[in-house]
Amino acid sequence: MMTNDEALEYSRATFNGAPFCLVRNWIWVELEVSEGRRDDLAAMQLHPVVLYAHSIVYDSSRRWDVGDFVRTTLLHEFTDGFVFRTKNTHYVLLGDGLCKQAHPKTLALNH
């Protein structure tokens, strides 16, 4: 398990200047979608998963302050066992988190 400083160093070295965000107290939310919708998302290289993080540790783009929460857009790629990547941002998952399922309407998403 990485410390905040180790995660910051890893992110700066790995993401080549792309936006990244270090998060803790996160929830991996699998969205309940039809097979047809799942296929549509796959064609766009997306997965019906969003991340909700209760605590931002660091945001390289300074969109959020330390301690803020964030709900991401849909998952594009999950790598290294702890990097949740959307089309725009790499989210580094620190510490333990939860996995849940939800209907898109629960999160006010139109998917």
Side-chain angles (χ1 to χ4, degrees):
M1 204 174 292
M2 285 192 281
T3 66
N4 293 353
D5 289 339
E6 290 169 337
L8 187 58
E9 183 178 319
Y10 165 87
S11 298
R12 287 180 173 151
T14 305
F15 303 135
N16 299 317
F20 67 89
C21 191
L22 310 180
V23 298
R24 289 193 178 277
N25 303 317
W26 49 269
I27 304 171
W28 175 287
V29 183
E30 294 186 20
L31 301 173
E32 299 165 357
V33 298
S34 68
E35 283 302 314
R37 184 63 180 139
R38 189 176 299 276
D39 292 343
D40 291 344
L41 291 171
M44 295 183 284
Q45 299 181 322
L46 294 171
H47 303 274
V49 178
V50 297
L51 182 71
Y52 181 88
H54 291 281
S55 183
I56 299 219
V57 173
Y58 178 84
D59 177 32
S60 68
S61 298
R62 301 183 193 266
R63 296 163 290 189
W64 304 288
D65 290 329
V66 172
D68 283 354
F69 71 90
V70 64
R71 185 192 73 208
T72 70
T73 55
L74 294 173
L75 173 66
H76 173 60
E77 184 178 40
F78 186 67
T79 59
D80 297 330
F82 58 89
V83 179
F84 184 106
R85 189 175 134 212
T86 66
K87 291 277 188 163
N88 300 314
T89 305
H90 295 82
Y91 293 88
V92 178
L93 309 182
L94 300 172
D96 294 330
L98 299 172
C99 292
K100 297 192 175 205
Q101 288 189 334
H103 190 276
K105 288 182 181 178
T106 304
L107 297 175
L109 297 171
N110 294 322
H111 295 284

